[in-house]
Amino acid sequence: MADYLPSELVITPKGGVYHLDICPEDIAHKIIVVGDQDRVELVSKFFDEVTHKSQHREFACHTGNYKGKSLSVISTGIGTDNIDIVINELDALVNIDLETRNEKSEKTVLEIVRLGTCGILQDEIPIDSFILSTHALGIDNVGHFYERNVDEKTERLALDIESKVKLPKYVKPYLTPASKILNDRLLTDDIETGITVTSSGFYGPQGRRLRLPLVENDMLDSFSDFKHDEVRIANLEMECSALFSLSSALGHQATAICLGLANRRKKQFTKNYDEKIIELIKHVLEHI
Ligand code: R1P
Ligand code: URA
């Protein structure tokens, strides 16, 4: 019997994965993931050649070449629930034989860089900064559905965070390091670093109070005030926790670099998105 039956792994009539609706030959092994589908074209317009373009639901995919590197750019839509789909299906494209439905004996390692936007949690990080994640602190729940295996140092840091930050009582945070290999390539002098919080929503789960009262009003300040040796919590967004935890469990390399749109401490919002996102795209294309 095949390892993965149709109820578990849906394969399209043309031999691709269901939600992304792409086939193994449609993707490169270096992949930029973005939340917004309109950002896919913004990235691929810098490619020297585009060899594949597709879109199904929020998952747009362009593949091509940039200065001799084979690259794909894929939109995930918003949230860690979508990341569960994207990472499982990308892994299936390279590590499961979609014709026989059996796992391949030789595994392919993907390099995945999230090129996103985020909110800033530190006074000293200026608006419009690029923030490279050292870890993702999930306050969503996707990571809790998979067995986790993190090193002792990360576990100690996670326990320290859990003891100090203020979260609603049913939220259990989980911490996963970003890929050091990718971070060494992406880090340059002008880039900020720190732990990225991944929330399950944009408003209450990121401490935004509109008309609905929140159960924990000090959450954001408790993130900003956290310190562990030189480690700080830098930013807040909606995808990294699942991206890092699923990728590392599957043996892939993953990190994120985000443009800081809002400084939540200083209550500032950018006026420079169009120009700064292009700058970030160029940085990622050069260093991935
Ligand atoms: C919220 O507005 C969205 O923006 C951020 C968040 O993570 C969330 O997806 O990232 P993207 O700009 O990559 O979508
Ligand atoms: N994306 C987020 O998730 N939060 C912000 O504050 C800005 C961008």
Side-chain angles (χ1 to χ4, degrees), residues 42-163:
L42 276 189
V43 176
S44 73
K45 75 177 187 206
F46 289 100
F47 288 1
D48 302 316
E49 180 195 20
V50 177
T51 52
H52 167 89
K53 276 190 180 192
S54 59
Q55 176 155 5
H56 180 230
R57 299 182 182 233
E58 55 266 69
F59 309 113
C61 172
H62 293 182
T63 295
N65 304 298
Y66 176 80
K67 296 190 181 170
K69 293 184 270 202
S70 185
L71 290 175
S72 292
V73 52
I74 299 177
S75 56
T76 64
I78 291 179
T80 53
D81 49 347
N82 280 340
I83 296 292
D84 179 63
I85 289 172
V86 171
I87 298 304
N88 275 297
E89 292 193 1
L90 286 177
D91 180 70
L93 283 170
V94 292
N95 288 325
I96 295 174
D97 180 328
L98 298 186
E99 282 177 20
T100 64
R101 295 179 167 276
N102 290 322
E103 190 167 328
K104 294 181 183 169
S105 49
E106 292 243 329
K107 298 292 185 294
T108 296
V109 177
L110 297 172
E111 293 184 349
I112 305 168
V113 176
R114 165 163 152 74
L115 192 168
T117 62
C118 66
I120 297 169
L121 290 167
Q122 298 294 333
D123 287 343
E124 74 270 15
I125 302 182
I127 206 152
D128 295 334
S129 296
F130 300 159
I131 303 165
L132 182 66
S133 305
T134 57
H135 305 74
L137 179 74
I139 57 169
D140 65 310
N141 67 3
V142 170
H144 294 309
F145 288 83
Y146 297 93
E147 282 185 14
R148 287 175 46 74
N149 187 11
V150 289
D151 61 275
E152 253 178 55
K153 195 171 165 209
T154 305
E155 208 47 60
R156 273 199 304 280
L157 179 57
L159 286 173
D160 194 29
I161 295 174
E162 197 171 344
S163 71

Side-chain angles (χ1 to χ4, degrees), residues 117-120 201-202 206 208 236-238 261-262 264 269:
T117 62
C118 66
I120 297 169
F202 185 80
Q206 292 190 25
R208 287 186 171 90
L236 191 58
E237 51 76 83
M238 295 180 64
L261 296 184
R264 300 295 309 288
F269 195 78

